[in-house]
Amino acid sequence: MSDQTLENLLQETRTFPPPPEFAAQANGTAEQYSRAADDREAFWAEQARRYVTWSTDFTQVLDWSEAPFAKWFADGELNACYNAVDRHVEAGHGDRVAIHFVGEPEGDSRDLTYNDLHVEVQRAANALADLGIGKGDTVAIYLPMIPEAAVAMLACARLGAPHSVVFGGFSAEALHSRIQDVQAKVVITADGGYRRGKPSALKPAVDAALEHGDTSVEKVLVVRRTGQDTDWTDDRDLWWHEAIEGARAEHTPTPVEAEHPLFVLYTSGTTGKPKGIFHATGGYLVQCAYTNAVVHDVHPETDVYWCTADIGWVTGHSYIVYGPMTLGATQVMYEGTPDTPHQGRYWEIVQDKKVSILYTAPTAIRTFMKWGEDIPAKFDMSSLRLLGSVGEPINPEAWMWYRRVIGGDRCPIVDTWWQTETGAIMISALPGVTAAKPGSAMRPIPGITADVVDDAGESVPNGSGGYLVIKEPWPSMLRGVWGDPERYKETYWSRFRDMYFAGDGAKKDADGDIWVLGRVDDVMNVSGHRLSTTEIESALVSHPKVAEAAVVGATDATTGQAVCAFVILRQEAVQEADEPGEGTELVAELRNHVAKEIGPIAKPRQIMIVQELPKTRSGKIMRRLLRDVAENREVGDVTTLADSSVMDLIKEGMSAGG
Ligand code: WTA
C-alpha cells in the first residue's frame, strides 16, 4: 500500500457505535476485556469450559515451558466431532437444521439437521475405520463445497485422524506434494462439483496425483456429486455412498488429548515450499467457538449464519465447520460462484434462507460494488443483522458500501484479522461493544495480546506504523509446521525476541486502534488467497523455456493484489518469441503452466518478457522496482542496482509492447 493511501486511510474519522438493541443482546461484552486483562489464563479456562465439552477435564491451562511450542489444556481430553454434533443431539436439538445446503444448480438444495449429521458422521467414521484409519493416521480431503466435505472432516476428527483439506482449485501437482508431505493413507474426493453452471471434474486431479504410485495412499473414496464419467482404479477407488451404506450406524467418538493434532492445512510462505500448518484439537476448538460466539454474535437458536469461504481454506475450517457447529448453529453452505446463474445469487440466498449473519471477503464486496447496487436492491435482506469481513484489508469505501447497501445502514460490521497460523480471530471489533471505524480491524479480542512494534521490537506510539506481532501464546495458535519444527521457530519466532511475527505491517491510529496494511514479506494476497512469490517463480522457472522469473503482487482494484510476472527466456525460446504472434502464445503457455503446477488461482494476470531483472550487487531481485513498473508508476530509487540501466531496458521493452 502506498504512503498516500495510508495517509488517506488514517484520516478516516467516522465511527459507528453499536445500535443499543444489538448491544443489549450481544454475546461479547466489555466486561470480557477486563476479565481477560485481570487473569488471561483463567479467562481462557472459563471459555474452554463454557463452549466445549471435555470427556476429561483439564487441570493446567497453559504450558509454555518449551516455548515457542505451546500446550493448552494439555491433560484434558475431548472429541471435536462429539462437540460439533453428538452433544447437540443429546441436548435435544437434533431437529435443528445444521446445514442449509444450496447447490449451484438452481433448485438443488437440501437441509441437514443435527440428527442427519449425527447419522452421517457415525457411518463415515465407521467406513474410514473399515479402511484402516485410526487415531493418528492422516486423510487428505479434496472436495467441492458440499456437505460431505464437512462430514468427512468431522468423521476424521471422530477417529482422531488429522485431516488435510486441499482446496479444489489446486492442481494435481500441488495435491501430490501435499499428500506426500502429510503421508495421507486415504484421499476423499468427488467425481466433480458445479462451477459456473457446469460440472467441473475433480477426480482426474487425484488420479494424476497418484499415478506414479509414489505416495502412501491406499484408498480413494469418491463422492458422487455430478454423475459425470469417471476413470476407476478397481483395487483403490470406492464410492463414498456405497462405503457409507455398508458401514455400521453407531460409532463412539475417540477421546483425544487436547494437544492431539486436529488438522494440517498448507499455506504459502516466503519460500517455494508450502508449509503444513498444524492445529491441536482443544485450544483450537475453544477459540473458534468463543470467537464465533462473541465476534459473529452467533445465537444458535435464532440465527442463520453464512460464511461464504471455501472449506479448503482456514476460514472454512474455523467458521464453517468447527466454530458454528461447536455452537450448534444453523448455517448456509453454498457450492458455487456469486454470479451463477445471475449476479444476485448471494442476495437471493440471503432472502430465501433468511440469513442473519454474513461473513465474506473484501474482494467479493468490491466485485459486488462493480456490479452495481441495483442488484442487491431487488432482494429482501431485512433478515441481516451483522456483517463480517476477512482475508485482506478492507478499504473504507468498500466498508461503507457493505454497510449501506448490504447492511441497510443498521448492521454492525466486524473486520476480523487472523491467519491460517492463528487458527481463529485475533483482532476485531466486538459488535455489541466497539464503535467501529471503516477500514480498521480495531483491537485484539479479549484474551489476545497483539501489538505493533518497530524494527527493534519496541511497541510503537499511537499514530505510528510497524510490524504486527502477538506477544503471548493463544489457545488456537499453530502448534508447528508439520514435520519441520525448525522452520516453525525460524519463520515465526526469530524476527523478534519472544514474539510471534505475523508477516503483516500495521499502524496504530491516534486512539490506538489497529489498521492492518498487508504483508511485508514475499507473500501476496490475491482475492484473499495467500500466494507466495517464490512459489510462482519456481513454477515459471520449471518451464523449459524460462531462464529466470520474478513475481510481484501489484495493486488491483478488485482482487486486492494481482500476480505480475517478469520472465527472462532461454536463448532458444527468445528467437521463437520474436516471431510475429508467438510472444502472446508463449505468455498463454506460461500462464497455463503455472495453473498446472499450482492451480488456476496462481495464474499471473500479466507476464512480461524481459531481457534483464533488476538486481542488487548481492544478486537480490528488487521487487519494489518491478512493482513500480507493474503499477505504472514512476520507477523509484535505482541506486542500489548492480546495473542501473536495467530498468530503462525493461520500460523500453514494455512500451514496445512486450
Ligand atoms: C491477511 C485468512 C487485513 C493478512 C484468515 C494475513 C487481513 C493473511 C485480514 C492471512 C483483515 C486476513 N485485514 N488483512 N481483516 N484478514 N488478512 O492465512 O495479510 O489465508 O496475514 O488466513 O491475510 O491469510 P490466511
Side-chain angles (χ1 to χ4, degrees):
M1 195 173 301
S2 71
D3 290 348
Q4 186 60 49
T5 334
L6 181 55
E7 283 319 310
N8 290 345
L9 270 184
L10 294 173
Q11 275 158 26
E12 179 62 61
T13 52
R14 291 169 287 199
T15 56
F16 295 88
E21 332 64 86
F22 192 103
Q25 58 81 62
N27 292 326
T29 59
E31 190 267 331
Q32 289 169 18
Y33 288 103
S34 46
R35 175 86 190 90
D38 287 348
D39 188 341
R40 221 172 65 87
E41 289 189 26
F43 169 81
W44 281 118
E46 262 168 45
Q47 310 317 319
R49 294 193 177 101
R50 173 171 308 150
Y51 290 102
V52 167
T53 304
W54 300 80
S55 50
T56 306
D57 193 20
F58 52 88
T59 58
Q60 189 185 23
V61 182
L62 169 66
D63 176 357
W64 192 229
S65 58
E66 288 167 56
F69 296 93
K71 292 195 183 87
W72 282 87
F73 319 117
D75 58 351
E77 291 193 346
L78 75 165
N79 182 278
C81 181
Y82 172 82
N83 272 277
V85 183
D86 304 46
R87 65 174 182 154
H88 308 311
V89 173
E90 286 170 11
H93 305 311
D95 290 335
R96 186 183 294 161
V97 172
I99 301 175
H100 288 295
F101 172 66
V102 181
E104 196 186 79
E106 279 180 296
D108 176 16
S109 302
R110 66 186 158 116
D111 288 347
L112 281 96
T113 62
Y114 277 96
N115 278 333
D116 296 335
L117 269 187
H118 192 217
V119 172
E120 298 248 334
V121 293
Q122 293 186 79
R123 285 193 185 274
N126 279 322
L128 286 168
D130 291 345
L131 299 180
I133 298 297
K135 188 179 169 196
D137 293 320
T138 51
V139 175
I141 299 177
Y142 186 66
L143 281 171
M145 278 293 287
I146 53 177
E148 286 80 358
V151 171
M153 291 163 73
L154 292 168
C156 289
R158 201 171 180 88
L159 295 165
H163 54 72
S164 180
V165 182
V166 179
F167 174 57
F170 278 118
S171 68
E173 289 293 331
L175 179 61
H176 177 257
S177 66
R178 286 159 172 76
I179 287 173
Q180 286 272 39
D181 193 76
V182 83
Q183 291 288 301
K185 249 171 119 170
V186 166
V187 180
I188 306 177
T189 187
D191 50 358
Y194 290 95
R195 208 75 198 147
R196 301 192 190 283
K198 310 192 284 283
S200 156
L202 267 182
K203 170 90 172 6
V206 176
D207 292 337
L210 303 182
E211 75 185 345
H212 300 301
D214 58 350
T215 68
S216 44
V217 174
E218 292 165 13
K219 297 285 175 194
V220 177
L221 272 171
V222 187
V223 176
R224 187 152 67 200
R225 165 70 184 133
T226 59
Q228 64 200 118
D229 280 343
T230 302
D231 284 350
W232 210 251
T233 304
D234 282 329
D235 56 354
R236 188 198 68 193
D237 300 347
L238 293 112
W239 285 112
W240 165 271
H241 60 271
E242 287 176 2
I244 298 264
E245 276 159 20
R248 275 186 313 115
E250 289 82 36
H251 180 274
T252 310
T254 311
V256 298
E257 317 78 74
E259 284 300 313
H260 185 69
L262 179 61
F263 67 86
V264 183
L265 187 59
Y266 287 82
T267 189
S268 297
T270 51
T271 70
K273 189 170 176 270
K275 298 177 286 221
I277 302 299
F278 80 94
H279 283 282
T281 309
Y284 172 80
L285 210 62
V286 168
Q287 199 172 329
C288 284
Y290 170 70
T291 50
N292 200 217
V294 303
V295 177
H296 299 105
D297 197 47
V298 169
H299 293 255
E301 313 76 34
T302 45
D303 277 312
V304 179
Y305 164 90
W306 182 19
C307 165
T308 67
D310 191 284
I311 262 178
W313 305 110
V314 75
T315 308
H317 282 59
S318 304
Y319 296 109
I320 295 178
V321 180
Y322 292 109
M325 293 192 182
T326 298
L327 296 179
T330 296
Q331 67 180 315
V332 168
M333 180 189 276
Y334 173 55
E335 178 185 27
T337 58
D339 53 353
T340 308
H342 57 80
Q343 293 178 336
R345 189 73 194 268
Y346 270 26
W347 318 124
E348 189 175 64
I349 295 173
V350 167
Q351 171 181 281
D352 292 354
K353 303 295 177 201
K354 301 203 164 37
V355 173
S356 54
I357 301 167
L358 178 69
Y359 192 34
T360 194
T363 183
I365 298 165
R366 290 191 298 264
T367 303
F368 300 136
M369 286 172 77
K370 208 163 62 183
W371 291 344
E373 55 188 86
D374 48 320
I375 293 173
K378 290 183 204 134
F379 301 91
D380 175 6
M381 301 204 287
S382 56
S383 54
L384 285 173
R385 63 178 198 89
L386 176 77
L387 304 175
S389 173
V390 62
E392 50 177 318
I394 178 165
N395 41 313
E397 304 83 81
W399 198 101
M400 290 303 296
W401 190 92
Y402 195 28
R403 180 178 159 92
R404 180 174 60 81
V405 178
I406 306 304
D409 259 332
R410 70 179 182 277
C411 304
I413 297 184
V414 286
D415 172 12
T416 61
W417 177 88
W418 57 293
Q419 310 176 294
T420 305
E421 292 86 343
T422 69
I425 294 169
M426 303 292 281
I427 304 178
S428 169
L430 289 190
V433 180
T434 317
K437 299 173 185 170
S440 169
M442 305 304 294
R443 298 283 173 115
I445 60 160
I448 298 298
T449 39
D451 199 0
V452 181
V453 298
D454 63 17
D455 261 318
E458 295 296 327
S459 182
V460 303
N462 289 352
S464 312
Y467 304 98
L468 188 58
V469 296
I470 318 281
K471 290 187 157 167
E472 312 250 24
W474 62 102
S476 66
M477 68 195 284
L478 73 163
R479 296 305 197 262
V481 174
W482 197 248
D484 199 347
E486 274 311 308
R487 192 169 174 199
Y488 165 68
K489 285 201 250 176
E490 166 64 29
T491 310
Y492 304 104
W493 299 92
S494 65
R495 177 71 180 78
F496 301 106
R497 212 183 128 89
D498 298 336
M499 291 182 227
Y500 168 88
F501 173 44
D504 280 309
K507 193 142 178 167
K508 284 191 229 169
D509 69 14
D511 305 320
D513 293 321
I514 294 176
W515 298 68
V516 181
L517 304 173
R519 305 290 305 193
V520 291
D521 53 15
D522 292 337
V523 173
M524 294 170 290
N525 191 327
V526 179
S527 296
H529 298 160
R530 261 168 83 167
L531 296 171
S532 135
T533 52
T534 337
E535 201 181 348
I536 300 178
E537 285 165 4
S538 319
L540 283 165
V541 175
S542 75
H543 189 283
K545 291 181 185 162
V546 175
E548 215 179 330
V551 166
V552 297
T555 306
D556 183 283
T558 307
T559 58
Q561 282 188 310
V563 180
C564 290
F566 295 80
V567 164
I568 302 180
L569 296 178
R570 293 190 185 204
Q571 203 47 44
E572 317 81 78
V574 171
Q575 283 133 17
E576 224 180 279
D578 279 345
E579 310 203 346
E582 291 300 311
T584 44
E585 237 172 68
L586 181 60
V587 164
E589 188 179 323
L590 295 180
R591 293 183 71 230
N592 290 334
H593 180 72
V594 173
K596 182 180 152 280
E597 290 293 309
I598 305 172
I601 43 165
K603 261 193 194 182
R605 178 186 73 183
Q606 242 176 321
I607 295 185
M608 285 163 270
I609 310 234
V610 296
Q611 285 162 25
E612 293 289 348
L613 289 171
K615 289 187 185 158
T616 60
R617 285 177 200 94
S618 59
K620 200 169 156 5
I621 294 173
M622 292 192 70
R623 292 203 177 74
R624 169 172 67 76
L625 299 176
L626 293 174
R627 213 171 291 126
D628 289 341
V629 174
E631 292 173 353
N632 286 320
R633 253 199 318 274
E634 190 70 28
V635 171
D637 184 8
V638 295
T639 47
T640 53
L641 281 183
D643 173 359
S644 61
S645 66
V646 166
M647 288 317 292
D648 296 331
L649 259 175
I650 292 180
K651 278 187 298 170
E652 251 167 56
M654 302 235 343
S655 50

